[in-house]
Amino acid sequence: MTRRIVRNIIQISTAAVITFLLIFFLDRNFRVLPNAIHEYLPTHHAGLVITDITVTTCTSYNPFSSCDLDTSVWHRIDKDLHLGKTLFSHAYLHISRKREEELKEGDKVVMDATVGRLDPSVADAEKAAAKGVDNKNEKWESRPAGLWVKRSSKKGASDSKNAVTGIDVLFGDDAVEAREGWSMTGTPMLLEVGRSVPSAHLTVRRGAEHPPPAKPMLRIRDNGKFKIVQLADLHLSTGVGACRDALPEGQKCEADPRTLDFVTKILEEEKPDLVVLSGDQVNGETAPDTQTAIFKYAQILIKHKIPYVSIFGNHDDEGSMSRAAQMDLIETLPYSLSHAGPESIDGVGNYFIEVLGRGSSSHSALTVYLLDTHAYSPNERKYPGYDWIKPNQIEWFRSTAQGLKKKHREYTHVHMDVAFIHIPLPEYQNGRNLTLVSPWKEPTTAPTFNSGFHDALVEEGVVMVSCGHDHVNEYCAVDFKEDGKPALWMCYAGAAGFGGYAGYGGFHRKIRVFDFDMNEGRINTWKRVEYGEDVGKKIEEVMIVDGGHPVRPMQD
């Protein structure tokens, strides 16, 4: 009996060893194990290392010209370096990459990459000589478009924190990097294109991929205050962009630098706790690389360490990225609290965030709802113009708001709910006994079909909603319930971006500020202006909520 048990143990052990070796062999060659297991394998880089980089150029009039390379060796970064702006030619960046465990003896790993007209080896040699270091074995290899690559076949090179593990391209002389662990390098790529094509810039990630940054926790300040700055309709481009309806007239104006200078100034003066980007951050028509445009505003917010949330307008996804792809990217950026929201309802960016009470309170003091108002009407003949918030979004909002009410009642002060959207609601122009602070300046382009979101906001106790979209409208308005009490404040931010239209008698770009005093359950709002005699002032400051309820505007 004992011998039989021992024999069985030996047979099981032998089978287990053989099975393990078989699985190991198959996985090494065919990656049969689940990705979750590989993520825990002891590799320095959880992913791929770059073994080479090159650029291909092709022309449509030459049937033998191709921008494609052997896909078993090369991966093409799917961004035309000419941005589709040249009539016949295209160019693409390609990388060769391997998993670290697949590297063989003699395989080279990219340790550095840059762009320039001169061989970087010369400058490296001078630096090494000054330090008394021998760098004879460190050679740069030339590639097309002014690209230079330094590779190493040394054992363990792929484990170095300097090993290049990611390559990308951004565009325009004002391009910036916003991702952790990434940096732009060298000069613009040397491409044979005209000035109408924004310059292409190489950006690289070195070492292991950074984990997603920790999400900031929003909390009411110790003095009971909380401030939100709403940035509406930035209309950023790939490249500096062209100004539209800029004042003063006749002066040189680059849209994006001027827009972002304005944004930076207001952020530094107002010092908000949260920024709401309420749609049309990207001017799709002039943003053939949407990623570049997104990084421009994100980099400023990251630099100033300001948490931010974003929703989309009707122009954001008219460039190179869908709403879903943009949100996937934005969610990974530092200080971003943006979220795609439930996949089961219409749109991308239906979500809410909570602001906790002061001190160590674990209770929500303020809830901010954000919803996707989509773009253009799906039934232009019957309902011309713009799209509307869908029934399943309204149902999601109602069920979410009702589900949070019990917890919100645990807050010992006045809890408030507010909302942000892009396209205005029909009630912005036809609300009951509508009372405005600041006049209409352009026709309200709300959807012609009313899906009832205004009523849902009122019934669930939301005190204020703010939008963008109509650039020159900058008013706040309150409508009233049947009993004569204020129902809901509806604000416009006014457009901040010079890449979008203005006009209508000389509109100066604006940014709206909301100041919450949780001690009193009060919201005050005002505007800041980019140009004119009111620069530096709070424009049309008005109290819209007091004691946690909408109030009538104070009359002068």
Side-chain angles (χ1 to χ4, degrees):
M1 176 69 99
T2 304
R3 291 181 179 178
R4 186 182 302 166
I5 293 173
V6 171
R7 190 183 310 116
N8 288 341
I9 292 173
I10 293 173
Q11 289 174 344
I12 292 170
S13 300
T14 302
V17 170
I18 293 172
T19 301
F20 174 81
L21 292 174
L22 178 62
I23 292 174
F24 178 81
F25 173 79
L26 290 172
D27 184 67
R28 186 183 66 179
N29 291 278
F30 303 109
R31 307 292 288 180
V32 298
L33 290 174
N35 288 333
I37 294 177
H38 287 288
E39 289 174 1
Y40 289 95
L41 293 178
T43 57
H44 181 74
H45 303 305
L48 303 168
V49 291
I50 310 298
T51 57
D52 205 354
I53 313 171
T54 193
V55 174
T56 60
T57 302
C58 52
T59 55
S60 56
Y61 56 77
N62 182 352
F64 300 104
S65 175
S66 175
C67 281
D68 295 326
L69 296 175
D70 184 350
T71 55
S72 66
V73 178
W74 295 95
H75 168 76
R76 190 174 87 175
I77 295 176
D78 204 19
K79 292 184 177 182
D80 181 1
L81 300 180
H82 299 174
L83 289 174
K85 290 180 173 291
T86 51
L87 191 58
F88 300 110
S89 63
H90 306 277
Y92 290 92
L93 191 66
H94 300 257
I95 58 174
S96 179
R97 56 190 185 179
K98 286 187 176 181
R99 293 191 175 275
E100 190 176 16
E101 64 269 25
E102 295 173 349
L103 292 172
K104 300 176 182 177
E105 186 176 352
D107 281 350
K108 292 184 177 182
V109 173
V110 175
M111 303 303 295
D112 205 354
T114 190
V115 180
R117 296 186 181 278
L118 302 178
D119 185 347
S121 302
V122 177
D124 281 1
E126 292 176 354
K127 292 177 183 177
K131 296 179 180 179
V133 177
D134 182 9
N135 74 332
K136 290 181 181 179
N137 294 324
E138 296 184 1
K139 299 294 183 183
W140 288 86
E141 304 172 41
S142 176
R143 298 290 185 269
L147 181 63
W148 296 89
V149 178
K150 184 191 288 186
R151 301 192 295 164
S152 174
S153 58
K154 290 180 181 179
K155 186 176 181 180
S158 62
D159 287 326
S160 169
K161 65 180 181 181
N162 293 321
V164 174
T165 56
I167 294 286
D168 202 353
V169 187
L170 299 173
F171 296 87
D173 293 335
D174 60 340
V176 291
E177 182 58 80
R179 294 168 291 188
E180 285 193 349
W182 288 78
S183 60
M184 295 169 61
T185 180
T187 69
M189 299 183 75
L190 307 181
L191 303 168
E192 296 182 3
V193 292
R195 291 187 177 182
S196 63
V197 181
S199 54
H201 297 263
L202 189 71
T203 180
V204 303
R205 183 186 67 217
R206 304 174 193 278
E209 183 175 359
H210 284 231
K215 298 297 183 182
M217 180 179 293
L218 300 178
R219 187 177 291 281
I220 303 299
R221 300 178 197 169
D222 289 341
N223 63 0
K225 297 293 190 72
F226 192 84
K227 184 182 286 187
I228 294 177
V229 161
Q230 181 185 356
L231 301 178
D233 299 275
L234 296 176
H235 282 268
L236 300 172
S237 298
T238 304
V240 297
C243 287
R244 297 179 61 185
D245 305 318
L247 296 173
E249 296 178 345
Q251 294 189 6
K252 181 181 178 181
C253 180
E254 293 176 330
D256 291 5
R258 187 166 173 182
T259 296
L260 297 173
D261 283 348
F262 177 36
V263 168
T264 300
K265 181 177 185 293
I266 299 307
L267 294 180
E268 292 177 351
E269 292 179 358
E270 293 289 350
K271 296 179 172 55
D273 302 288
L274 175 69
V275 164
V276 173
L277 297 137
S278 59
D280 283 358
Q281 288 78 247
V282 178
N283 193 56
E285 184 181 357
T286 59
D289 186 61
T290 301
Q291 181 183 17
T292 295
I294 290 172
F295 285 178
K296 291 182 191 182
Y297 72 75
Q299 189 267 347
I300 291 175
L301 295 167
I302 293 165
K303 178 182 176 182
H304 288 82
K305 300 181 179 180
I306 302 173
Y308 57 98
V309 290
S310 58
I311 50 179
F312 299 117
N314 51 298
H315 292 295
D316 286 291
D317 57 356
E318 293 178 340
S320 61
M321 296 176 75
S322 67
R323 275 166 147 77
Q326 289 182 56
M327 192 60 87
D328 283 346
L329 174 64
I330 295 166
E331 285 179 352
T332 67
L333 298 178
Y335 292 92
S336 172
L337 295 171
S338 305
H339 195 264
E343 294 183 1
S344 58
I345 63 176
D346 287 288
V348 177
N350 300 293
Y351 61 109
F352 68 95
I353 58 169
E354 301 272 40
V355 182
L356 300 181
R358 73 177 87 179
S360 59
S361 174
S362 60
H363 299 301
S364 168
L366 174 66
T367 302
V368 180
Y369 292 97
L370 302 110
L371 286 94
D372 186 355
T373 52
H374 314 290
Y376 305 100
S377 172
N379 189 341
E380 186 65 28
R381 173 175 289 184
K382 188 173 182 180
Y383 301 111
Y386 292 95
D387 207 345
W388 48 88
I389 294 177
K390 300 298 192 288
N392 60 14
Q393 292 175 274
I394 298 174
E395 182 182 352
W396 167 83
F397 163 72
R398 283 187 180 277
S399 62
T400 301
Q402 291 168 10
L404 292 172
K405 277 183 169 58
K406 182 178 178 181
K407 281 190 173 183
H408 291 169
R409 283 194 289 269
E410 296 173 1
Y411 182 58
T412 56
H413 292 71
V414 177
H415 181 279
M416 288 190 284
D417 296 322
V418 298
F420 290 89
I421 55 179
H422 179 68
I423 296 173
L425 304 174
E427 286 79 5
Y428 269 72
Q429 64 182 353
N430 61 18
R432 179 193 296 269
N433 298 325
L434 199 65
T435 301
L436 275 66
V437 176
S438 189
W440 272 299
K441 294 187 177 178
E442 67 169 304
T444 300
T445 56
T448 51
F449 175 76
N450 192 334
S451 62
F453 187 54
H454 168 276
D455 292 348
L457 291 171
V458 174
E459 290 164 11
E460 299 305 330
V462 171
V463 295
M464 179 275 295
V465 61
S466 192
C467 73
H469 187 59
D470 297 333
H471 296 187
V472 178
N473 280 335
E474 52 179 293
Y475 63 81
C476 282
V478 62
D479 64 352
F480 293 85
K481 301 176 183 178
E482 290 185 3
D483 61 6
K485 293 181 180 179
L488 178 70
W489 274 97
M490 297 170 282
C491 290
Y492 276 107
F498 284 84
Y501 75 87
Y504 287 88
F507 173 74
H508 297 171
R509 266 65 178 192
K510 302 288 195 318
I511 289 174
R512 182 168 288 281
V513 181
F514 294 95
D515 188 56
F516 295 77
D517 183 346
M518 304 308 293
N519 302 306
E520 307 293 339
R522 181 177 297 160
I523 305 175
N524 281 24
T525 185
W526 60 85
K527 297 169 290 189
R528 298 293 305 274
V529 67
E530 193 269 345
Y531 173 76
E533 60 184 16
D534 290 326
V535 167
K537 300 177 183 177
K538 295 181 179 181
I539 302 172
E540 294 177 340
E541 181 175 6
V542 60
M543 182 173 66
I544 59 175
V545 175
D546 194 27
H549 300 286
V551 295
R552 296 174 182 271
M554 296 290 291
Q555 300 296 324
D556 293 333

